[in-house]
């Protein structure tokens, strides 16, 4: 049985080679340890990197671990790179992605109805990018496809799980519309006849 | 060809309407319908002036607004004294939901910008461990040397031959000549059915087969021959059409 030190060291090497998020299950079975034990070692490694303020950090994505650069170093890294074209999502893509992320599983019809405009193309693009995927079919008439976000989405947005999405309540507060206190305020006092 | 033009960055009718409401500093719970309808229609007119094809969804909302405007003109007190629901409620709910997701979109965009500051590295090349290594890696060096020697030997041999005999060009039969040959054979057969292989030269190779085939196709087109084949890869039966030729 390899020592704890050996296992952690092996995990570190695996993270380096793997590059992409490494499933704890795979790492655990490679070292012949329990998944929970392996997860503990990954957490320890993660903590050690954080505490020492390393330039490389370990992040967790849906039970997978990945080496990433420390975000504080981004500007330094950028300064050694020739300007790279940043690939941004369009406003439409962000809207659709937000709807899918917060309302999933959601059908195309529901997305269209919230946005008031057809979203098929945008949804196709997001699927092609791997951010959104088919999560089965709804029981509604026509059995429409249900869409949901993927692990690629989590990675792209640096979220451990979907629970880490910006909270919906915070947003509600940001809406500065004031709802009328009582129904009386809503009553139309005069007829709206225009100018 | 189709191309997308973004104008005034309105993502859809709700986007435009929310913009107009905010611009007019209206409360979304208390929309002044006639005022906003007028502005909305004006905006659509402007889009048309700029030769933008106004999407059907913009027109649907325009119709909804006009209907709403007319309903606002009617008193909403029922006979029994109770009040009907505000006709604007449904629109307000829709706009609120849209606005909420628009803000959420902004929130996740911020999150994405933050995430973009953490860089990852691509996976190491695991091909040597996982998939099939390239073929040359499997071959040992002796096999490789043997293969190279065989290649050099063949090459030398070829050069020696050329040195002795000079290069020989194969005489190539033309389609016209082949057609003549086919016609002679068919005539000799006197109406008997011949098969495709009867026209091939011994040792004619692929080139001969192609020329024969092309010649036959041409003869069929010109009406000198008719052919029949029962199925794929079966013998092609060829019959001469005497009458057609004599008419020529």
């Amino acid at each position: 049985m390899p020592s704890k030190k050996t296992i952690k060291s092996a995990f570190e090497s695996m993270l380096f080679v793997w590059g992409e998020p490494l499933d704890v299950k795979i790492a655990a079975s490679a070292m012949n340890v329990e998944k929970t034990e392996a997860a503990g070692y990954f957490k320890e490694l993660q903590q050690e990197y954080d505490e020492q303020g390393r330039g490389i950090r370990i992040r967790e994505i849906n039970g997978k671990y990945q080496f990433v650069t420390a975000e504080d170093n981004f500007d330094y890294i950028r300064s050694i790179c020739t300007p790279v074209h940043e690939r941004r999502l369009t406003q439409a893509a962000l809207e659709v992605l937000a709807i899918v992320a917060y309302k999933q599983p959601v059908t195309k019809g529901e997305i269209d109805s919230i946005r008031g405009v057809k979203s098929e193309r945008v949804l196709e693009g997001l699927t092609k990018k791997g951010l959104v995927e088919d999560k089965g079919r709804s029981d509604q008439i026509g059995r429409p496809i249900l869409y949901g976000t993927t692990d690629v989405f989590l990675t792209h947005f640096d979220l451990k799980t979907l629970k880490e999405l910006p909270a919906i309540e915070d947003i509600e507060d940001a809406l500065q519309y004031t709802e009328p206190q009582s129904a009386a305020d809503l009553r139309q006092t005069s007829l709206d006849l225009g100018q | 060809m189709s191309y997308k033009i973004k104008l005034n960055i309105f993502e859809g009718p709700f986007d435009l309407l929310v913009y107009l409401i905010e611009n007019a500093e209206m409360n979304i719970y208390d929309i002044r319908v006639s005022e906003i309808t007028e502005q909305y229609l004006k905006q659509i007119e402007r889009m048309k002036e700029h030769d933008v094809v106004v999407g059907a969804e913009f027109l649907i909302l325009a119709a909804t607004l006009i209907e709403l405007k007319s309903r606002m003109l009617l008193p909403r007190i029922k006979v029994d004294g109770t009040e009907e629901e505000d006709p604007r409620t449904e629109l307000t709910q829709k706009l609120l939901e849209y606005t909420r997701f628009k803000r959420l979109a902004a929130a996740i965009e911020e999150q994405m910008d933050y995430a973009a500051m953490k860089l990852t590295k691509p996976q190491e090349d695991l091909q040597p461990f996982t998939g099939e290594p390239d073929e040359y890696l499997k071959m040992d060096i002796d096999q490789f040397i043997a293969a190279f020697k065989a290649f050099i030997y063949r090459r030398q041999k070829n050069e020696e031959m050329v040195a002795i005999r000079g290069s020989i060009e194969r005489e190539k039969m033309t389609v016209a000549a082949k057609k003549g040959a086919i016609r002679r054979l068919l005539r000799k057969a006197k109406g008997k059915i011949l098969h495709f292989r009867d026209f091939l030269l011994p040792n004619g190779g692929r080139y001969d087969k192609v020329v024969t085939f092309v010649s036959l196709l041409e003869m069929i087109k010109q009406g000198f021959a008719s052919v029949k084949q029962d199925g794929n890869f079966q013998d092609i039966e060829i019959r001469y059409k005497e009458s057609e030729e004599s008419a020529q």
Side-chain angles (χ1 to χ4, degrees), chain A residues 50-119:
Chain A
D50 282 345
E51 278 166 6
Q52 293 171 33
R54 307 302 299 253
I56 306 274
R57 301 297 169 88
I58 297 168
R59 81 165 160 202
E60 187 189 341
I61 304 281
N62 201 16
K64 297 169 183 162
Y65 289 85
Q66 182 181 33
F67 265 149
V68 295
T69 62
E71 74 251 26
D72 297 342
N73 294 338
F74 179 69
D75 286 337
Y76 306 126
I77 296 167
R78 191 160 56 181
S79 67
I80 62 166
C81 305
T82 43
V84 196
H85 177 68
E86 277 179 66
R87 282 184 306 159
R88 301 199 64 89
L89 292 173
T90 61
Q91 199 52 44
L94 280 167
E95 277 181 28
V96 173
L97 196 54
I99 295 169
V100 174
Y102 286 92
K103 276 194 87 105
Q104 61 186 314
V106 66
T107 66
K108 193 165 59 196
E110 291 168 318
I111 300 170
D112 289 352
S113 137
I114 290 172
R115 296 189 62 226
V117 64
K118 288 230 181 281
S119 311

Side-chain angles (χ1 to χ4, degrees), chain B residues 64-101:
Chain B
T64 308
L65 284 172
I66 292 167
E67 193 213 338
L68 205 53
K69 185 178 160 187
S70 64
R71 281 175 61 188
M72 292 302 283
L73 291 170
L74 304 170
R76 290 198 304 280
I77 312 287
K78 285 192 202 162
V79 188
D80 56 11
T82 56
E83 202 172 318
E84 263 179 54
E85 205 194 350
D86 192 317
R88 298 171 297 179
T89 309
E90 198 190 330
L91 182 66
T92 298
Q93 288 310 323
K94 281 202 147 176
L95 289 180
L96 275 176
E97 190 170 32
Y98 174 71
T99 318
R100 191 168 69 143
F101 280 106

Side-chain angles (χ1 to χ4, degrees), chain B:
Chain B
M1 268 294 275
S2 71
Y3 42 93
K4 268 181 10 195
I5 295 173
K6 273 178 98 175
L7 224 148
N8 278 348
I9 43 177
F10 292 121
E11 292 296 341
F14 290 161
D15 201 17
L16 169 58
L17 191 57
V18 168
Y19 166 81
L20 292 175
I21 289 170
E22 280 176 357
N23 213 35
E25 290 179 0
M26 272 182 217
N27 187 332
I28 204 157
Y29 285 102
D30 187 19
I31 301 167
R32 297 193 292 278
V33 180
S34 82
E35 183 184 334
I36 219 67
T37 303
E38 199 175 313
Q39 287 187 14
Y40 184 86
L41 294 175
K42 224 180 252 169
Q43 188 65 35
I44 287 188
E45 275 313 308
R46 204 170 307 152
M47 283 161 79
K48 281 185 182 159
E49 273 167 31
H50 287 93
D51 254 353
V52 181
V53 179
V54 178
E57 58 273 359
F58 280 94
L59 300 181
I60 291 170
L61 185 59
T64 308
L65 284 172
I66 292 167
E67 193 213 338
L68 205 53
K69 185 178 160 187
S70 64
R71 281 175 61 188
M72 292 302 283
L73 291 170
L74 304 170
R76 290 198 304 280
I77 312 287
K78 285 192 202 162
V79 188
D80 56 11
T82 56
E83 202 172 318
E84 263 179 54
E85 205 194 350
D86 192 317
R88 298 171 297 179
T89 309
E90 198 190 330
L91 182 66
T92 298
Q93 288 310 323
K94 281 202 147 176
L95 289 180
L96 275 176
E97 190 170 32
Y98 174 71
T99 318
R100 191 168 69 143
F101 280 106
K102 208 170 142 65
R103 310 246 168 170
L104 284 173
I108 65 166
E109 185 177 25
E110 217 169 272
Q111 177 70 25
M112 188 174 65
D113 286 344
Y114 165 76
M117 285 162 48
K118 294 184 177 178
L119 304 175
T120 60
K121 78 181 234 330
Q123 191 164 63
E124 295 296 317
D125 182 9
L126 302 174
Q127 192 72 6
F129 309 115
T130 55
E132 282 284 295
D134 284 345
E135 213 172 316
Y136 69 88
L137 284 173
K138 276 196 291 197
M139 193 189 257
D140 70 51
I141 193 75
D142 290 333
Q143 275 177 298
F144 188 69
I145 291 168
F148 186 68
K149 274 189 176 152
F151 164 74
I152 294 289
Y153 175 76
R154 272 202 305 275
R155 205 173 156 135
Q156 274 174 350
K157 202 78 185 198
N158 205 4
E159 273 170 16
E160 279 166 29
M161 295 281 250
V162 171
I164 297 165
R165 303 195 196 158
S167 64
I168 303 158
E169 281 286 316
R170 186 188 302 236
E171 197 189 333
K172 301 225 160 149
M173 191 173 241
T174 63
V175 171
K178 190 79 201 187
K179 268 165 68 184
I182 293 173
R183 200 170 303 172
R184 273 194 299 282
L185 277 172
L186 281 169
R187 216 174 269 151
K188 234 172 36 190
K190 294 206 168 67
K192 237 174 62 197
I193 288 167
L194 288 180
H195 293 107
F196 183 72
R197 76 173 96 83
D198 297 331
F199 304 119
L200 297 178
L201 298 172
N203 306 323
R206 188 186 295 166
Y207 177 82
D208 184 49
K209 286 197 185 97
V210 172
V211 170
T212 307
F213 192 72
V214 171
S215 308
L216 260 177
L217 286 179
E218 243 189 87
M219 290 176 73
I220 296 162
K221 196 179 111 198
Q222 292 165 350
F224 297 154
S226 68
V227 295
K228 198 177 137 218
Q229 187 183 27
D230 288 331
N232 275 346
F233 308 115
Q234 291 196 345
D235 263 344
I236 303 173
E237 295 176 354
I238 295 128
R239 197 192 300 268
Y240 193 39
K241 284 191 177 168
E242 191 70 60
S243 55
E244 304 261 341
E245 204 215 9
S246 50
Q248 287 256 322

Side-chain angles (χ1 to χ4, degrees), chain A residues 167-178, chain B residues 22 96 99-100 102-104 106-107:
Chain A
I168 218 156
E169 290 82 21
D170 301 352
I171 299 295
E172 221 81 310
D173 295 340
L175 289 175
Q176 67 272 67
Y177 303 124
T178 44
Chain B
E22 280 176 357
L96 275 176
T99 318
R100 191 168 69 143
K102 208 170 142 65
R103 310 246 168 170
L104 284 173

